[in-house]
mmCIF file with all atom_site columns, all heavy atoms in Angstrom:
data_model
loop_
_atom_site.group_PDB
_atom_site.id
_atom_site.type_symbol
_atom_site.label_atom_id
_atom_site.label_alt_id
_atom_site.label_comp_id
_atom_site.label_asym_id
_atom_site.label_entity_id
_atom_site.label_seq_id
_atom_site.pdbx_PDB_ins_code
_atom_site.Cartn_x
_atom_site.Cartn_y
_atom_site.Cartn_z
_atom_site.occupancy
_atom_site.B_iso_or_equiv
_atom_site.pdbx_formal_charge
_atom_site.auth_seq_id
_atom_site.auth_comp_id
_atom_site.auth_asym_id
_atom_site.auth_atom_id
_atom_site.pdbx_PDB_model_num
ATOM 1   N N   . LEU W 1 37 ? 8.608  5.910   -12.338 1.00 0.00 ? 37 LEU W N   1
ATOM 2   C CA  . LEU W 1 37 ? 9.880  5.226   -12.514 1.00 0.00 ? 37 LEU W CA  1
ATOM 3   C C   . LEU W 1 37 ? 9.690  3.915   -13.273 1.00 0.00 ? 37 LEU W C   1
ATOM 4   O O   . LEU W 1 37 ? 10.604 3.435   -13.952 1.00 0.00 ? 37 LEU W O   1
ATOM 5   C CB  . LEU W 1 37 ? 10.581 4.987   -11.171 1.00 0.00 ? 37 LEU W CB  1
ATOM 6   C CG  . LEU W 1 37 ? 11.045 6.266   -10.465 1.00 0.00 ? 37 LEU W CG  1
ATOM 7   C CD1 . LEU W 1 37 ? 11.479 5.943   -9.026  1.00 0.00 ? 37 LEU W CD1 1
ATOM 8   C CD2 . LEU W 1 37 ? 12.219 6.897   -11.231 1.00 0.00 ? 37 LEU W CD2 1
ATOM 9   N N   . LEU W 1 38 ? 8.521  3.288   -13.139 1.00 0.00 ? 38 LEU W N   1
ATOM 10  C CA  . LEU W 1 38 ? 8.311  1.957   -13.750 1.00 0.00 ? 38 LEU W CA  1
ATOM 11  C C   . LEU W 1 38 ? 7.327  2.039   -14.918 1.00 0.00 ? 38 LEU W C   1
ATOM 12  O O   . LEU W 1 38 ? 6.951  0.986   -15.490 1.00 0.00 ? 38 LEU W O   1
ATOM 13  C CB  . LEU W 1 38 ? 7.773  0.979   -12.671 1.00 0.00 ? 38 LEU W CB  1
ATOM 14  C CG  . LEU W 1 38 ? 8.685  0.796   -11.464 1.00 0.00 ? 38 LEU W CG  1
ATOM 15  C CD1 . LEU W 1 38 ? 7.961  0.019   -10.363 1.00 0.00 ? 38 LEU W CD1 1
ATOM 16  C CD2 . LEU W 1 38 ? 9.959  0.076   -11.865 1.00 0.00 ? 38 LEU W CD2 1
ATOM 17  N N   . ASP W 1 39 ? 6.911  3.233   -15.245 1.00 0.00 ? 39 ASP W N   1
ATOM 18  C CA  . ASP W 1 39 ? 5.993  3.419   -16.398 1.00 0.00 ? 39 ASP W CA  1
ATOM 19  C C   . ASP W 1 39 ? 4.768  2.536   -16.258 1.00 0.00 ? 39 ASP W C   1
ATOM 20  O O   . ASP W 1 39 ? 4.380  1.807   -17.180 1.00 0.00 ? 39 ASP W O   1
ATOM 21  C CB  . ASP W 1 39 ? 6.743  3.112   -17.701 1.00 0.00 ? 39 ASP W CB  1
ATOM 22  C CG  . ASP W 1 39 ? 5.961  3.597   -18.939 1.00 0.00 ? 39 ASP W CG  1
ATOM 23  O OD1 . ASP W 1 39 ? 5.175  4.540   -18.771 1.00 0.00 ? 39 ASP W OD1 1
ATOM 24  O OD2 . ASP W 1 39 ? 6.125  3.000   -19.984 1.00 0.00 ? 39 ASP W OD2 1
ATOM 25  N N   . LEU W 1 40 ? 4.117  2.640   -15.104 1.00 0.00 ? 40 LEU W N   1
ATOM 26  C CA  . LEU W 1 40 ? 2.950  1.814   -14.822 1.00 0.00 ? 40 LEU W CA  1
ATOM 27  C C   . LEU W 1 40 ? 1.706  2.412   -15.463 1.00 0.00 ? 40 LEU W C   1
ATOM 28  O O   . LEU W 1 40 ? 1.573  3.642   -15.606 1.00 0.00 ? 40 LEU W O   1
ATOM 29  C CB  . LEU W 1 40 ? 2.720  1.684   -13.297 1.00 0.00 ? 40 LEU W CB  1
ATOM 30  C CG  . LEU W 1 40 ? 3.921  1.150   -12.501 1.00 0.00 ? 40 LEU W CG  1
ATOM 31  C CD1 . LEU W 1 40 ? 3.595  1.149   -11.029 1.00 0.00 ? 40 LEU W CD1 1
ATOM 32  C CD2 . LEU W 1 40 ? 4.274  -0.237  -12.983 1.00 0.00 ? 40 LEU W CD2 1
ATOM 33  N N   . ASP W 1 41 ? 0.745  1.558   -15.824 1.00 0.00 ? 41 ASP W N   1
ATOM 34  C CA  . ASP W 1 41 ? -0.553 2.040   -16.283 1.00 0.00 ? 41 ASP W CA  1
ATOM 35  C C   . ASP W 1 41 ? -1.433 2.488   -15.132 1.00 0.00 ? 41 ASP W C   1
ATOM 36  O O   . ASP W 1 41 ? -2.226 3.407   -15.224 1.00 0.00 ? 41 ASP W O   1
ATOM 37  C CB  . ASP W 1 41 ? -1.278 0.924   -17.049 1.00 0.00 ? 41 ASP W CB  1
ATOM 38  C CG  . ASP W 1 41 ? -0.504 0.463   -18.258 1.00 0.00 ? 41 ASP W CG  1
ATOM 39  O OD1 . ASP W 1 41 ? -0.104 1.362   -19.052 1.00 0.00 ? 41 ASP W OD1 1
ATOM 40  O OD2 . ASP W 1 41 ? -0.249 -0.711  -18.408 1.00 0.00 ? 41 ASP W OD2 1
ATOM 41  N N   . VAL W 1 42 ? -1.323 1.754   -14.021 1.00 0.00 ? 42 VAL W N   1
ATOM 42  C CA  . VAL W 1 42 ? -2.193 2.018   -12.891 1.00 0.00 ? 42 VAL W CA  1
ATOM 43  C C   . VAL W 1 42 ? -1.523 1.570   -11.594 1.00 0.00 ? 42 VAL W C   1
ATOM 44  O O   . VAL W 1 42 ? -0.698 0.623   -11.615 1.00 0.00 ? 42 VAL W O   1
ATOM 45  C CB  . VAL W 1 42 ? -3.555 1.258   -13.083 1.00 0.00 ? 42 VAL W CB  1
ATOM 46  C CG1 . VAL W 1 42 ? -3.353 -0.229  -13.135 1.00 0.00 ? 42 VAL W CG1 1
ATOM 47  C CG2 . VAL W 1 42 ? -4.584 1.638   -12.037 1.00 0.00 ? 42 VAL W CG2 1
ATOM 48  N N   . VAL W 1 43 ? -1.804 2.289   -10.525 1.00 0.00 ? 43 VAL W N   1
ATOM 49  C CA  . VAL W 1 43 ? -1.373 1.822   -9.191  1.00 0.00 ? 43 VAL W CA  1
ATOM 50  C C   . VAL W 1 43 ? -2.652 1.489   -8.415  1.00 0.00 ? 43 VAL W C   1
ATOM 51  O O   . VAL W 1 43 ? -3.517 2.332   -8.263  1.00 0.00 ? 43 VAL W O   1
ATOM 52  C CB  . VAL W 1 43 ? -0.569 2.898   -8.448  1.00 0.00 ? 43 VAL W CB  1
ATOM 53  C CG1 . VAL W 1 43 ? -0.252 2.430   -6.995  1.00 0.00 ? 43 VAL W CG1 1
ATOM 54  C CG2 . VAL W 1 43 ? 0.742  3.191   -9.199  1.00 0.00 ? 43 VAL W CG2 1
ATOM 55  N N   . THR W 1 44 ? -2.764 0.233   -7.968  1.00 0.00 ? 44 THR W N   1
ATOM 56  C CA  . THR W 1 44 ? -3.945 -0.256  -7.265  1.00 0.00 ? 44 THR W CA  1
ATOM 57  C C   . THR W 1 44 ? -3.631 -0.292  -5.777  1.00 0.00 ? 44 THR W C   1
ATOM 58  O O   . THR W 1 44 ? -2.779 -1.043  -5.320  1.00 0.00 ? 44 THR W O   1
ATOM 59  C CB  . THR W 1 44 ? -4.300 -1.668  -7.818  1.00 0.00 ? 44 THR W CB  1
ATOM 60  O OG1 . THR W 1 44 ? -4.455 -1.564  -9.216  1.00 0.00 ? 44 THR W OG1 1
ATOM 61  C CG2 . THR W 1 44 ? -5.553 -2.177  -7.157  1.00 0.00 ? 44 THR W CG2 1
ATOM 62  N N   . TYR W 1 45 ? -4.349 0.532   -5.038  1.00 0.00 ? 45 TYR W N   1
ATOM 63  C CA  . TYR W 1 45 ? -4.184 0.548   -3.575  1.00 0.00 ? 45 TYR W CA  1
ATOM 64  C C   . TYR W 1 45 ? -5.154 -0.439  -2.980  1.00 0.00 ? 45 TYR W C   1
ATOM 65  O O   . TYR W 1 45 ? -6.379 -0.342  -3.159  1.00 0.00 ? 45 TYR W O   1
ATOM 66  C CB  . TYR W 1 45 ? -4.499 1.968   -3.022  1.00 0.00 ? 45 TYR W CB  1
ATOM 67  C CG  . TYR W 1 45 ? -3.386 2.974   -3.301  1.00 0.00 ? 45 TYR W CG  1
ATOM 68  C CD1 . TYR W 1 45 ? -3.331 3.659   -4.517  1.00 0.00 ? 45 TYR W CD1 1
ATOM 69  C CD2 . TYR W 1 45 ? -2.400 3.231   -2.350  1.00 0.00 ? 45 TYR W CD2 1
ATOM 70  C CE1 . TYR W 1 45 ? -2.329 4.548   -4.759  1.00 0.00 ? 45 TYR W CE1 1
ATOM 71  C CE2 . TYR W 1 45 ? -1.371 4.111   -2.604  1.00 0.00 ? 45 TYR W CE2 1
ATOM 72  C CZ  . TYR W 1 45 ? -1.327 4.778   -3.817  1.00 0.00 ? 45 TYR W CZ  1
ATOM 73  O OH  . TYR W 1 45 ? -0.320 5.659   -4.059  1.00 0.00 ? 45 TYR W OH  1
ATOM 74  N N   . ILE W 1 46 ? -4.582 -1.413  -2.285  1.00 0.00 ? 46 ILE W N   1
ATOM 75  C CA  . ILE W 1 46 ? -5.424 -2.486  -1.722  1.00 0.00 ? 46 ILE W CA  1
ATOM 76  C C   . ILE W 1 46 ? -5.405 -2.420  -0.169  1.00 0.00 ? 46 ILE W C   1
ATOM 77  O O   . ILE W 1 46 ? -4.369 -2.626  0.454   1.00 0.00 ? 46 ILE W O   1
ATOM 78  C CB  . ILE W 1 46 ? -4.939 -3.871  -2.205  1.00 0.00 ? 46 ILE W CB  1
ATOM 79  C CG1 . ILE W 1 46 ? -4.994 -3.919  -3.728  1.00 0.00 ? 46 ILE W CG1 1
ATOM 80  C CG2 . ILE W 1 46 ? -5.760 -4.977  -1.552  1.00 0.00 ? 46 ILE W CG2 1
ATOM 81  C CD1 . ILE W 1 46 ? -4.639 -5.269  -4.361  1.00 0.00 ? 46 ILE W CD1 1
ATOM 82  N N   . THR W 1 47 ? -6.576 -2.116  0.351   1.00 0.00 ? 47 THR W N   1
ATOM 83  C CA  . THR W 1 47 ? -6.720 -2.010  1.805   1.00 0.00 ? 47 THR W CA  1
ATOM 84  C C   . THR W 1 47 ? -6.785 -3.405  2.405   1.00 0.00 ? 47 THR W C   1
ATOM 85  O O   . THR W 1 47 ? -7.629 -4.211  2.003   1.00 0.00 ? 47 THR W O   1
ATOM 86  C CB  . THR W 1 47 ? -8.011 -1.267  2.163   1.00 0.00 ? 47 THR W CB  1
ATOM 87  O OG1 . THR W 1 47 ? -8.092 -0.084  1.348   1.00 0.00 ? 47 THR W OG1 1
ATOM 88  C CG2 . THR W 1 47 ? -8.059 -0.890  3.641   1.00 0.00 ? 47 THR W CG2 1
ATOM 89  N N   . ALA W 1 48 ? -5.884 -3.703  3.333   1.00 0.00 ? 48 ALA W N   1
ATOM 90  C CA  . ALA W 1 48 ? -5.901 -5.030  3.969   1.00 0.00 ? 48 ALA W CA  1
ATOM 91  C C   . ALA W 1 48 ? -7.164 -5.174  4.818   1.00 0.00 ? 48 ALA W C   1
ATOM 92  O O   . ALA W 1 48 ? -7.442 -4.353  5.683   1.00 0.00 ? 48 ALA W O   1
ATOM 93  C CB  . ALA W 1 48 ? -4.642 -5.227  4.806   1.00 0.00 ? 48 ALA W CB  1
ATOM 94  N N   . GLY W 1 49 ? -7.943 -6.240  4.555   1.00 0.00 ? 49 GLY W N   1
ATOM 95  C CA  . GLY W 1 49 ? -9.143 -6.461  5.363   1.00 0.00 ? 49 GLY W CA  1
ATOM 96  C C   . GLY W 1 49 ? -8.784 -6.939  6.761   1.00 0.00 ? 49 GLY W C   1
ATOM 97  O O   . GLY W 1 49 ? -9.232 -6.409  7.744   1.00 0.00 ? 49 GLY W O   1
ATOM 98  N N   . ASP W 1 50 ? -7.862 -7.900  6.789   1.00 0.00 ? 50 ASP W N   1
ATOM 99  C CA  . ASP W 1 50 ? -7.404 -8.428  8.063   1.00 0.00 ? 50 ASP W CA  1
ATOM 100 C C   . ASP W 1 50 ? -5.899 -8.559  8.039   1.00 0.00 ? 50 ASP W C   1
ATOM 101 O O   . ASP W 1 50 ? -5.318 -9.528  7.603   1.00 0.00 ? 50 ASP W O   1
ATOM 102 C CB  . ASP W 1 50 ? -8.032 -9.833  8.312   1.00 0.00 ? 50 ASP W CB  1
ATOM 103 C CG  . ASP W 1 50 ? -7.440 -10.490 9.568   1.00 0.00 ? 50 ASP W CG  1
ATOM 104 O OD1 . ASP W 1 50 ? -6.745 -9.802  10.380  1.00 0.00 ? 50 ASP W OD1 1
ATOM 105 O OD2 . ASP W 1 50 ? -7.656 -11.701 9.746   1.00 0.00 ? 50 ASP W OD2 1
#
Side-chain angles (χ1 to χ4, degrees):
L37 293 168
L38 302 170
D39 193 26
L40 304 177
D41 298 309
V42 61
V43 175
T44 304
Y45 285 85
I46 301 185
T47 313
D50 174 12

